[in-house]
Amino acid sequence: QFYAAIDPHPTFRTVQILTRQSYGKHRLTPVLVDEDHGVTVNDPGRTLSTSQANALAVALFLSFNLGFATHAVAGLILDDPLQNLDDVHLLGLVDLLRKVAPHRQIIVTTHDQTLASLLARKLRPIGTDSRTMIVRFTKWDRNGPGVEQVEIPRVEQPLKLASA
């Protein structure tokens, strides 16, 4: 479902995880499937672009993260997730993070101000039990980092009606 939400490839829309044993160790292998034509790819790295492969990696990471009980892993940290993602896959990732946000605390690091602004808009708090914070490092000197912290205001009315 996460892979489909990011939608990285026009024909390989399904991912299966195969288990195997190699040198006495258990291994997980992602397999891409084109269900319309019955084609499977056992080595996604040879078929996907760098952006598509990164989208697959994020989808797998989120799947495993949410597969644990809530008390086991309560947070999700993504370090510069837009690296090698094109705009389309980046928007799919942001929409996916919106779906994950009610279930995990999400921390995203980035040097890209555009991504930070997009995340601030898309992950803005709607309910009374959520918060969105932006932490910026403004400088670094001998005394340590300069830190600016901003809380994104809650949306009181998540839906706005427009008259025709």
Side-chain angles (χ1 to χ4, degrees):
Q1 291 173 345
F2 295 134
Y3 179 76
I6 297 176
D7 193 24
H9 198 276
T11 57
F12 294 109
R13 298 196 169 275
T14 304
V15 175
Q16 298 174 347
I17 303 295
L18 300 181
T19 59
R20 62 184 171 86
Q21 222 176 21
S22 176
Y23 299 105
K25 305 232 183 220
H26 297 285
R27 304 284 184 207
L28 299 176
T29 304
V31 175
L32 299 176
V33 180
D34 175 355
E35 293 177 346
D36 294 338
H37 294 94
V39 176
T40 61
V41 173
N42 294 324
D43 187 359
R46 293 180 180 226
T47 304
L48 301 178
S49 70
T50 303
S51 178
Q52 293 167 334
N54 284 343
L56 171 61
V58 169
L60 290 173
F61 173 74
L62 290 174
S63 298
F64 288 127
N65 183 281
L66 288 172
F68 292 112
T70 304
H71 65 278
V73 181
L76 172 68
I77 300 173
L78 296 172
D79 181 22
D80 205 7
L82 84 154
Q83 191 174 29
N84 294 323
L85 284 181
D86 57 27
D87 292 343
V88 172
H89 297 127
L90 177 62
L91 292 174
L93 172 63
V94 171
D95 283 341
L96 183 56
L97 291 177
R98 280 179 34 185
K99 294 175 185 174
V100 171
H103 308 286
R104 293 290 190 268
Q105 177 184 13
I106 300 173
I107 298 172
V108 179
T109 65
T110 184
H111 64 278
D112 188 309
Q113 184 58 42
T114 304
L115 175 61
S117 298
L118 178 64
L119 288 171
R121 275 194 319 275
K122 295 294 188 174
L123 298 178
R124 67 190 183 281
I126 294 175
T128 57
D129 59 342
S130 62
R131 293 174 53 194
T132 300
M133 303 290 293
I134 295 178
V135 179
R136 288 187 187 97
F137 293 101
T138 58
K139 66 178 176 103
W140 185 271
D141 59 25
R142 291 178 187 219
N143 297 323
V147 178
E148 175 185 286
Q149 185 171 319
V150 178
E151 184 168 355
I152 304 300
R154 271 189 185 72
V155 175
E156 298 300 326
Q157 295 180 352
L159 298 176
K160 295 181 181 178
L161 300 177
S163 61

